[in-house]
Amino acid sequence: MGCHLIAGATIPEVAKVREAWSANQPIEWLKVHRMPPFVHFPHMRHLKGETAVKAEITCQTCHGQVERMPQVYQFSSLKMGWCLDCHKQNKVTTDCSACHY
Amino acid sequence: MSLLDGQADGRKGGQGPVEQSSAEASSARPPDRPEDGMNRRRFLKVLGVAGGGSLAATACGSSSPEKLIPYLLPVEDQIPGVATWYATTCRECPAGCGVHARVREGRAVKLEGNPDHPINRGKLCSRGQAALQGLYNPDRVRGPMARNASGNFEPISWQDAITRVGERLGAAPGAQVRFVTGNEAGTFDRLVSDWLTTLGSSGHVVYEPFGYEAQRHATREVFGTDELPWYDFGAARYVLSFGADFLETWGSPLEYTRGFVASHAFADGTMGKFVHVEPRMSLTGQNADEWIAPVPGTEGVLALAIAHVIARDRLGSPPSDAARLRPLLQAYAPEAAAERCGVSAETIERLAREFAAGPSVAVAGGMGAQHADAHATAAAAHLLNYVAGNVGRTVRFGVAPNPAGGSRYQRLAELSQAMQDGRVAVLLVHGANPAYASPAGLGFASAIANVPFKVSFSRFLDETAMLADLILPDHDPLEQWNDFEPRAGVNLLQQPVMQPVFDTRQTGDVLLELARLMGGRMAQRFPAATYKDHLQNGWRRLHQQRGSRDAFEAFWTEALQRGGVWSEPRSRGAALAAGATRVAATPPAQPEGRFTLIAYPSSVLYDGRAANRPWLQELPDPVSKLGWSTWLEIHPDAANALGVTDGDMVEVTSDAGTVRAVAWVYPGIRQDVVAMPLGQGHTAFGRYAQDRGANAYQLLAAEPTAFGGVQHYAAVTVRATGEHENLATRAGSRRQLGRGIAQAVTLAAITAEGFHPFHEAHAAPVPEPIEKVLDEWQEEQYRDWKERGNYAGAHPRWGMAIDLSRCTGCSACVTACYAENNLPVVGKELMQRGREMSWMRIERYFEGEEGHPPEVRVVPMLCQQCGNAPCEPVCPVFAAYHTPDGLNAQVYNRCVGTRYCSNNCPYKVRYFNWFDYQEPSDQAFSWPEPLHWQLNPDVTVRSKGVMEKCTFCVQRIRGAQHDARMRGTPLRDGEVVTACQQSCPADAMAFGDLNDPGSRVSQLAADGRGYHVLDGLNTRPAITYLARVWNRAEA
């Protein structure tokens, strides 16, 4: 716990991080972006995949302006229709078994 | 409109951006309601394992949050979402196969064979796959326990437990301490022996129920050595087995399967020949080109008669001193032998000519053939090998396989007597269950009551542990540091693949701590602080012996990564010992008016030690196709005479005891013989094993045979009880009834002039003009959609080829599929009602006329991924559809459960979730904790109301495709390996892209032996079967 003894020392949220560390407890993050268990979503393909790179997809594309969020919220609907819209736009697969298996 | 224009929705769960999508996620039925118990993520729930990445249980769409709990300190080898593989050794039987354990987030989820390992070369049998269910078994002993005043077990602390043992050991005279272990050849075995010796005891008793006593006696007699020979099946073009089940449990089954298939499978227009001699057709016997059923106990006579002919006619190339055997062989002329063993003289002459004609091997000493004269059978087989010149070629010494670890039933009998006489003060038991796996007449369980202090190191409350005063549970083999030496030159390492699930401790550590506690000589002799240190000290010596130039650390790390160190030992032949000329076959007398019962080793449950693994209970036995049961195999004529048919409960009575079993009528057995598998009939050992079936050991005589083993034959009467039960089987008709599902051809036919490719010769004849019209119509149907949307462009077509001349029917693939794809175990009652869920099944059909020895054909049956699938057009919700890459996909969240697809499937390979197998409150709950830790996180766990089937391991295909995209090179042939293919010991399956003409599967699909099952239905399956080839005169 080197940096956060100094960096952001007065911010209450950072204090929580320090407390967790000294109490030897991992922080229980609440999951904001959730997929149902029957969906297998390959995150890496959307970061570094050929089409994703060409389409210049950034974190903000799906997650919104996280750097400006005081508390992260779910920016996109994450519904399947939303996924398909981007897939169709970028002409990548809309085959069901690409994600549902 | 870019995505950023979408409504930024501040609420969780996404009440939705404004854009209207044409294809909104339309779950016709939300599959994960909040009240649903376990979903794919629940298994990650924190259960006290430090910092495992985990999520609380909920479902999508519910308002209760899921949590992401990271490691506080990231663990070195674990990246969440990425598997780490550890090399270790399987200890489910003494073969010592190498295993790669796939570990996700600190939990072992799948075992696969170690490809570099000399014994199994990357393959793993059902029992090896099911080792995970030993690790996560809900009935594991979770911590040390002691018997309290009212006689029940209650938990105590390790400190307390070890102190108690130390006290009792200190008080007891050293000579009265006894330690029973299984075959633990290696550091642990030596530690136990040393430990006892230092205590002043010589009472280390190794007990393996499958002790190969007959074979060891024979080898001593004929070759004058205590070492067992190793058999090179791969070099033998002719295999003659006298009851040795080398494809099931005998010796080193995976190694021998590999060698056998290498020389016996049809390849390049030729194949070897295999003749199996046994009164009962075991699975090994079903793979034989010829099955001979001699009078029980007379195999030795037959072997010597064959040797007689070889010597008489000077066939083959015997060693010079084979002449010494002539006098003894005189008495076994074919005509005389024929009368005694029930095999005709012509057959004997023919077998002799065939055996001596080329490289051959004779094997004997199987536990299913361990009758009173089994040592003579084994000796006769040795002599037969000798006169044919096989010793030094296909029969080799110097390799010293050690499946029994020095076990002798005689010693267990002596121990039992000593306990009875009160000469044992302290008994310790590790890795053995003699209270179950010994003849009841031995009285081990009652003798043990005379021992004042009994300690069990068992991981489970098995029969022997239930008699103990104190239980100090050992780690599971997957949780511990250890080594194992299955044969000369092979030193295998075990390493923990994860943190221990429960509060157990490695027995080696306990022994070392006891030594420290007792002080004095004990503490001096065993200075190592932990068992791992002790193990490493031994390996330092090994390191020096091998003269490696690396430092020990490098040597150790490399050995760990590889799974051990091994080198080919210098193998050699052997010369005849003086005793060889005294070999004589003296078959026991046939029981008058009674059957000869054969209690044979189960290829699924082994000697009973695997009976608490639900996958293995549910696995249909390869011969009878029954699960969760003990059956009595009985010939149809004998059954008729008794008025008994399939499913009737019968009472089997020998001089030693009585058991009840369900009758199973089997033409592959002599009329005067009945057979029963070992492994069931437990009176303890957990919910899956207890009170199930019958313990055939209760029918066996307690008196050791002349060679010091248990006699697995008994004279019995069989009586119908009038009760009946539905067979717990998934098998339907035993006959193909002309459906052409399992095809076979003789070697003569396939090598004859003018042999047509199989599918042409056997397809339903259709006049050519009509065939042309059908093909054109077919093409037109597909023409449009082949260019549309996702289907346009180049795609692979995933396909499989299964070579039936390699498949032995062992069913390893079935269990591998269970492990990989989160298949639920349904239990006996549901199996009786036909609700089994296994995606892969081994169908077994009998051919040939009634009353004749059957020809057995096996067909692994799984979803054929039909190109023209009958299940696809009938799904009202498009849950079953055809993917661009040739898979018949099943989208679980779309399925509404009409079951029309399963109705339409001609192969019946679709399975419906009638119950909520993952819901703890459901009657059919399949994963009592911690069994659910084994679940594969890459595969959805299906809930009630959803259809499922084989997916060609689509998770592996997609995973490999993602990897290929990430690294930027195309997928290579052989990169995607399905779970079944991966595990198959015979390498019978090939999987790959049928659209790639260079792939192995494409080449096999074009093979002349290739055919499709139920071809005439025009389903266009992606699986090509290669017909079985029999090396016999007529089909």
Side-chain angles (χ1 to χ4, degrees):
Chain A
M1 190 60 29
C3 305
H4 277 312
L5 284 174
I6 304 160
T10 50
I11 302 175
E13 297 302 314
V14 174
K16 284 189 196 171
V17 172
R18 283 202 308 274
E19 274 157 31
W21 172 259
S22 39
N24 217 34
Q25 289 293 319
I27 295 169
E28 301 190 359
W29 300 100
L30 291 179
K31 203 168 186 206
V32 175
H33 296 91
R34 287 153 42 176
M35 284 286 166
F38 46 83
V39 173
H40 298 259
F41 172 69
H43 192 254
M44 189 63 91
R45 290 286 293 267
H46 295 78
L47 296 184
K48 298 206 185 142
E50 214 180 297
T51 314
V53 169
K54 258 201 307 220
E56 291 174 7
I57 294 180
T58 60
C59 310
Q60 288 80 354
T61 313
C62 307
H63 294 290
Q65 310 272 17
V66 183
E67 68 275 15
R68 297 193 208 151
M69 293 178 187
Q71 187 183 45
V72 173
Y73 54 85
Q74 187 180 314
F75 170 74
S76 311
S77 81
L78 297 189
K79 285 193 174 179
M80 181 171 143
W82 169 80
C83 300
L84 280 179
D85 282 343
C86 183
H87 269 239
K88 285 180 187 164
Q89 208 174 6
N90 289 287
K91 300 195 177 22
V92 287
T93 186
T94 53
D95 176 44
C96 313
S97 76
C99 310
H100 290 290
Y101 54 83
Chain B
M1 167 172 116
S2 94
L3 284 165
L4 285 175
D5 291 340
Q7 183 95 347
D9 186 73
R11 287 170 296 172
K12 261 204 300 280
Q15 287 308 295
V18 292
E19 74 267 44
Q20 296 300 308
S21 277
S22 51
E24 280 288 87
S26 52
S27 290
R29 174 187 158 284
D32 267 278
R33 300 158 302 206
E35 59 272 22
D36 276 1
M38 181 165 58
N39 56 32
R40 179 169 73 111
R41 298 194 177 153
R42 184 179 166 193
F43 82 94
L44 286 176
K45 191 162 82 160
V46 168
L47 280 170
V49 176
S54 148
L55 304 153
T58 33
C60 101
S62 82
S63 51
S64 48
E66 282 179 37
K67 291 191 185 174
L68 274 175
I69 306 183
Y71 291 110
L72 190 62
L73 262 184
V75 178
E76 205 178 300
D77 333 317
Q78 302 294 336
I79 301 174
V82 176
T84 317
W85 295 81
Y86 293 98
T88 184
T89 306
C90 176
R91 297 297 302 275
E92 297 296 304
C93 87
C97 297
V99 155
H100 277 173
R102 178 172 182 247
V103 176
R104 276 288 300 268
E105 285 85 58
R107 294 191 189 157
V109 293
K110 180 82 172 32
L111 299 177
E112 299 192 352
N114 177 349
D116 301 321
H117 203 273
I119 292 178
N120 60 322
R121 293 244 184 269
K123 308 300 178 178
L124 203 58
C125 74
S126 297
R127 284 178 271 115
Q129 291 285 347
L132 283 177
Q133 293 209 315
L135 172 66
Y136 295 127
N137 199 291
D139 298 315
R140 262 183 86 180
V141 180
R142 302 186 177 202
M145 298 209 288
R147 216 178 270 286
N148 62 19
S150 33
N152 300 320
F153 280 117
E154 66 176 13
I156 61 171
S157 72
W158 274 104
Q159 195 52 47
D160 196 359
I162 293 182
T163 310
R164 289 194 205 188
V165 181
E167 283 167 4
R168 299 301 287 251
L169 281 176
Q176 291 193 358
V177 176
R178 299 278 197 278
F179 206 141
V180 181
T181 70
N183 177 4
E184 326 255 357
T187 301
F188 185 76
D189 182 85
R190 288 189 287 273
L191 174 63
V192 171
S193 291
D194 278 345
W195 194 84
L196 282 174
T197 311
T198 315
L199 258 186
S201 161
S202 57
H204 182 189
V205 179
V206 175
Y207 181 60
E208 282 286 329
F210 298 166
Y212 300 98
E213 292 94 346
Q215 196 183 7
R216 282 151 60 204
H217 185 278
T219 314
R220 224 172 290 125
E221 194 179 22
V222 174
F223 297 115
T225 172
D226 267 331
E227 191 193 298
L228 286 180
W230 182 80
Y231 298 96
D232 190 351
F233 282 87
R237 297 299 285 176
Y238 194 91
V239 176
L240 182 53
S241 168
F242 295 93
D245 57 319
F246 58 88
L247 298 178
E248 300 164 71
T249 67
W250 185 75
S252 191
L254 255 57
E255 199 178 14
Y256 290 156
T257 298
R258 185 174 72 249
F260 169 72
V261 170
S263 67
H264 184 258
F266 180 77
D268 299 324
T270 178
M271 64 183 283
K273 182 163 181 182
F274 169 34
V275 177
H276 189 78
V277 178
E278 196 177 3
R280 144 187 200 261
M281 191 193 257
S282 58
L283 175 67
T284 309
Q286 288 185 355
N287 281 281
D289 300 297
E290 194 175 339
W291 172 59
I292 294 175
V295 171
T298 62
E299 296 92 345
V301 173
L302 177 59
L304 290 172
I306 297 173
H308 170 108
V309 174
I310 293 177
R312 180 195 73 197
D313 297 349
R314 299 178 203 281
L315 301 171
S317 41
S320 48
D321 62 343
R324 283 172 52 198
L325 298 169
R326 283 179 175 278
L328 110 79
L329 289 175
Q330 285 292 63
Y332 298 94
E335 294 70 28
E339 261 190 64
R340 298 171 76 191
C341 65
V343 180
S344 74
E346 296 88 48
T347 306
I348 296 176
E349 302 267 353
R350 174 175 56 81
L351 289 175
R353 281 193 301 276
E354 291 174 356
F355 191 76
S360 59
V361 71
V363 288
M367 297 307 293
Q370 185 147 294
H371 48 72
D373 202 38
H375 57 313
T377 307
H382 284 329
L383 292 180
L384 176 54
N385 278 321
Y386 201 81
V387 298
N390 292 336
V391 178
R393 285 187 231 154
T394 55
V395 180
R396 301 216 218 111
F397 289 87
V399 183
N402 188 15
S407 163
R408 264 181 294 144
Y409 173 66
Q410 182 73 49
R411 289 215 67 196
L412 187 77
E414 286 163 10
L415 172 65
S416 197
Q417 189 60 51
M419 293 195 304
Q420 191 68 48
D421 296 343
R423 286 182 278 128
V424 178
V426 178
L427 179 73
L428 306 122
V429 183
H430 180 276
N433 189 6
Y436 164 82
S438 63
L442 182 68
F444 193 86
S446 56
I448 210 176
N450 288 348
V451 179
F453 191 63
K454 309 165 282 276
V455 179
S456 165
F457 295 101
S458 174
R459 300 172 346 250
F460 307 101
L461 284 176
D462 58 27
E463 287 83 352
T464 311
M466 288 300 281
L467 298 169
D469 298 307
L470 199 58
I471 304 184
L472 306 179
D474 191 14
H475 279 337
D476 189 271
L478 290 166
E479 295 169 334
Q480 58 175 260
W481 289 102
N482 213 339
D483 67 3
F484 189 59
E485 294 160 19
R487 61 168 203 249
V490 177
N491 295 73
L492 306 174
L493 274 175
Q494 282 169 255
Q495 59 171 323
V497 304
M498 58 184 278
Q499 296 285 333
V501 179
F502 297 116
D503 181 22
T504 53
R505 241 184 237 199
Q506 168 140 38
T507 305
D509 278 314
V510 175
L511 294 180
L512 291 173
E513 197 171 329
L514 279 168
R516 266 197 297 282
L517 200 63
M518 291 193 284
R521 250 193 2 247
M522 286 294 275
Q524 272 177 345
R525 180 95 181 81
F526 303 103
T530 64
Y531 184 73
K532 183 184 174 190
D533 293 330
H534 181 86
L535 177 72
Q536 275 189 321
N537 290 340
W539 276 69
R540 275 178 219 281
R541 285 192 291 277
L542 180 65
H543 170 240
Q544 278 175 339
Q545 276 168 22
R546 291 175 70 93
S548 163
R549 266 182 303 169
D550 298 328
F552 174 71
E553 284 311 316
F555 168 76
W556 173 256
T557 308
E558 219 214 306
L560 269 182
Q561 279 187 328
R562 208 174 338 127
V565 292
W566 44 80
S567 49
E568 278 311 302
R570 201 104 46 87
S571 66
R572 52 184 165 80
L576 290 177
T581 51
R582 292 193 288 273
V583 170
T586 40
Q590 295 306 301
E592 285 287 330
R594 292 199 280 177
F595 290 100
T596 301
L597 168 85
I598 302 178
Y600 65 90
S602 165
S603 66
V604 175
L605 300 181
Y606 205 66
D607 56 10
R609 67 184 65 181
N612 67 344
R613 276 73 154 151
W615 286 340
L616 296 180
Q617 285 284 2
E618 184 122 318
L619 181 67
D621 177 82
V623 171
S624 70
K625 299 301 170 193
L626 299 180
W628 303 96
S629 319
T630 302
W631 57 92
L632 185 77
E633 296 174 4
I634 184 165
H635 188 272
D637 294 347
N640 280 339
L642 283 171
V644 150
T645 180
D646 277 337
D648 288 342
M649 291 302 289
V650 293
E651 203 176 72
V652 185
T653 309
S654 76
D655 294 334
T658 298
V659 300
R660 288 163 53 102
V662 70
W664 187 68
V665 178
Y666 181 34
I669 196 169
R670 284 177 59 102
Q671 286 192 41
D672 52 356
V673 173
V674 291
M676 186 182 287
L678 294 165
Q680 299 273 25
H682 284 273
T683 53
F685 204 29
R687 71 196 73 180
Y688 299 112
Q690 192 166 343
D691 298 332
R692 191 174 296 292
N695 183 359
Y697 273 110
Q698 289 174 359
L699 296 172
L700 304 182
E703 188 62 30
T705 59
F707 50 87
V710 175
Q711 201 190 148
H712 280 240
Y713 279 31
V716 298
T717 53
V718 178
R719 182 185 77 83
T721 60
E723 286 162 42
H724 183 91
E725 97 175 7
N726 289 334
L727 292 179
T729 180
R730 65 167 315 151
S733 165
R734 300 193 198 187
R735 298 256 157 189
Q736 296 188 71
L737 303 169
R739 289 173 287 174
I741 299 169
Q743 302 275 17
V745 64
T746 61
L747 182 63
I750 199 171
T751 48
E753 284 274 320
F755 174 77
H756 289 293
F758 212 84
H759 58 272
E760 278 178 26
H762 288 252
V766 176
E768 216 190 289
I770 296 187
E771 178 133 11
K772 198 159 163 298
V773 166
L774 284 174
D775 277 347
E776 276 170 11
W777 176 84
Q778 183 103 57
E779 277 312 302
E780 177 147 345
Q781 303 307 307
Y782 295 137
R783 199 190 336 260
D784 276 342
W785 69 252
K786 266 201 258 201
E787 314 304 320
R788 216 182 280 166
N790 289 318
Y791 296 91
H795 293 283
R797 185 188 176 203
W798 299 108
M800 194 183 265
I802 302 182
D803 190 344
L804 297 179
S805 80
R806 297 179 76 94
C807 174
T808 62
C810 75
S811 312
C813 52
V814 178
T815 313
C817 179
Y818 268 84
E820 172 78 14
N821 292 299
N822 303 339
L823 262 51
V825 164
V826 303
K828 182 174 185 184
E829 291 69 34
L830 286 178
M831 202 165 161
Q832 286 168 317
R833 283 157 57 190
R835 303 291 188 225
E836 61 286 317
M837 296 299 281
S838 65
W839 292 358
M840 165 80 102
R841 62 175 185 264
I842 306 291
E843 296 192 340
R844 181 265 291 122
Y845 295 105
F846 295 129
E847 294 288 307
E849 290 169 39
E850 301 284 349
H852 283 242
E855 175 192 330
V856 179
R857 298 188 192 173
V858 291
V859 179
M861 181 51 61
L862 57 158
C863 172
Q864 304 284 295
Q865 314 284 348
C866 303
N868 195 10
C871 59
E872 289 164 7
V874 298
C875 175
V877 295
F878 212 69
Y881 80 103
H882 213 75
T883 72
D885 49 0
L887 298 176
N888 174 276
Q890 181 70 28
V891 182
Y892 303 124
N893 48 302
R894 269 221 286 270
C895 176
V896 286
T898 61
R899 305 186 289 282
Y900 198 158
C901 55
S902 167
N903 198 49
N904 232 27
C905 174
Y907 306 98
K908 288 292 172 270
V909 283
R910 284 176 152 277
Y911 306 93
F912 187 68
N913 283 277
W914 294 97
F915 298 92
D916 230 344
Y917 296 107
Q918 24 114 327
E919 170 55 46
S921 57
D922 193 298
Q923 59 171 313
F925 180 47
S926 209
W927 289 287
E929 85 138 316
L931 266 183
H932 65 299
W933 288 24
Q934 182 278 325
L935 290 169
N936 185 352
D938 291 336
V939 175
T940 308
V941 179
R942 286 77 60 190
S943 54
K944 181 163 149 182
V946 165
M947 189 63 76
E948 63 181 54
K949 68 180 187 65
C950 164
T951 60
F952 268 1
C953 281
V954 64
Q955 68 278 4
R956 292 181 176 214
I957 298 174
R958 296 285 174 256
Q961 285 175 327
H962 292 323
D963 288 342
R965 286 287 185 172
M966 290 293 99
R967 67 168 189 251
T969 59
L971 270 179
R972 297 178 297 265
D973 182 39
E975 201 175 326
V976 183
V977 175
T978 59
C980 50
Q981 174 197 11
Q982 198 288 319
S983 210
C984 175
D987 226 352
M989 290 181 254
F991 179 79
D993 180 8
L994 286 171
N995 282 345
D996 169 9
S999 70
R1000 183 163 164 243
V1001 68
S1002 295
Q1003 285 159 2
L1004 287 173
D1007 192 296
R1009 281 185 297 136
Y1011 72 96
H1012 294 305
V1013 173
L1014 300 180
D1015 207 6
L1017 296 177
N1018 197 32
T1019 50
R1020 309 230 168 165
I1023 301 184
T1024 305
Y1025 290 86
L1026 273 55
R1028 174 119 219 186
V1029 185
W1030 292 114
N1031 192 339
R1032 55 170 78 132
E1034 331 101 22

